[in-house]
Amino acid sequence: MKKLALSKWICLFFVMAGFNTSVSAQNRFRVPEWMVGHFEGVNKKYQMDVEFKISRNGVVTSSAVNRNSGKREEDTGVIRNGKLVMGKQTFYVDQQRDGIKISQVNDRSNTAYYRHVDRRQGFRPGMSPSSGPADLHPRWTERVPQWLVGTYSGYNRKYGMDVIFTISRDGNVDSDATNSRTGKVTHDTGTIRDGKLFMGKETFYIDQAGNSIRFTQTNDSSNTAEYRRR
């Protein structure tokens, strides 16, 4: 009798605390590998820069910054039955080539694409498993990783520019871009900071691609170009 009463109390505790043992088991074993990791992107509908982590047991921790006000919002959620449940809202989660797409179930206009951030390269540690939401902002363990230092060249198809630039060990960037139609050369400078390239008013994601690197404008994914080491 005592053992039965104790088991009933434990079950009641889990119910009162909001735990569901069957859902926990689903989250633990059914979160696909492509969904696990750190992601970042822009929610254009609400003008938010979003970074979040999905753990292997389905727990989601997010940090979002409003582009207009600079206000930060932090939230937690869970992957349940293949969907993201966060607060009162539920979202579809779909695999993409280099990340995931998240769409609100009852408002498909609230759809955003988030790219997977590879922590194994050592240049965007992001949030460690024991860290809290305040640690979500990625930082390099060193000023600039060795694979990024050097001179590169390539072609920006969106703007029709032949580009050559040099990244120094301290993160400074010098570039020359030649308009393929007019021949006009534009010189610009920038800096590598927090795992991104800051050039003028724009910010770019950086990805290693073999012996090349790829820049993608954070607020315009169509402005993507790959540059080969010289």
Side-chain angles (χ1 to χ4, degrees), residues 21-36:
T21 53
S22 63
V23 170
S24 297
Q26 284 181 336
N27 289 340
R28 184 174 181 181
F29 297 110
R30 296 188 183 178
V31 176
E33 189 65 30
W34 56 263
M35 202 183 288
V36 176

Side-chain angles (χ1 to χ4, degrees), residues 12-215:
L12 179 61
F13 168 78
F14 273 94
V15 171
M16 292 178 66
F19 290 94
N20 184 312
T21 53
S22 63
V23 170
S24 297
Q26 284 181 336
N27 289 340
R28 184 174 181 181
F29 297 110
R30 296 188 183 178
V31 176
E33 189 65 30
W34 56 263
M35 202 183 288
V36 176
H38 293 73
F39 300 85
E40 60 183 25
V42 179
N43 183 306
K44 293 184 178 181
K45 179 170 183 175
Y46 294 105
Q47 287 298 295
M48 304 287 282
D49 289 304
V50 183
E51 298 176 351
F52 61 93
K53 174 192 173 186
I54 302 177
S55 66
R56 292 188 184 278
N57 65 356
V59 175
V60 182
T61 309
S62 74
S63 177
V65 178
N66 188 295
R67 289 187 160 194
N68 298 318
S69 67
K71 181 181 178 181
R72 180 184 302 280
E73 298 179 11
E74 294 169 353
D75 207 348
T76 57
V78 66
I79 301 297
R80 182 180 301 146
N81 298 324
K83 297 183 180 69
L84 166 62
V85 180
M86 187 164 286
K88 297 181 179 180
Q89 301 300 334
T90 303
F91 301 82
Y92 296 116
V93 183
D94 296 296
Q95 185 178 16
Q96 302 294 299
R97 182 178 60 83
D98 57 352
I100 57 178
K101 178 178 73 173
I102 295 180
S103 308
Q104 188 172 327
V105 170
N106 59 351
D107 180 8
R108 297 305 287 269
S109 69
N110 185 17
T111 296
Y113 297 85
Y114 300 96
R115 60 198 298 276
H116 189 269
V117 179
D118 189 353
R119 294 179 61 205
R120 292 172 298 179
Q121 299 292 349
F123 71 103
R124 286 189 201 161
M127 188 174 71
S128 66
S130 60
S131 301
D135 297 317
L136 268 170
H137 281 293
R139 288 175 174 79
W140 282 345
T141 54
E142 53 182 310
R143 180 58 188 257
V144 173
Q146 185 61 38
W147 59 261
L148 192 55
V149 177
T151 299
Y152 298 83
S153 62
Y155 186 68
N156 184 306
R157 294 181 182 277
K158 179 167 184 176
Y159 293 105
M161 306 288 280
D162 289 298
V163 183
I164 181 171
F165 61 91
T166 299
I167 301 175
S168 66
R169 195 174 300 276
D170 61 359
N172 291 322
V173 181
D174 284 287
S175 75
D176 287 300
T178 304
N179 189 300
S180 58
R181 290 174 296 177
T182 66
K184 181 181 178 181
V185 178
T186 303
H187 179 75
D188 208 347
T189 59
T191 183
I192 305 294
R193 188 171 67 250
D194 291 340
K196 298 182 181 70
L197 165 64
F198 293 81
M199 183 85 68
K201 296 181 179 180
E202 302 300 342
T203 306
F204 299 82
Y205 296 121
I206 305 172
D207 292 292
Q208 187 177 18
N211 199 38
S212 304
I213 58 176
R214 182 170 58 248
F215 290 153

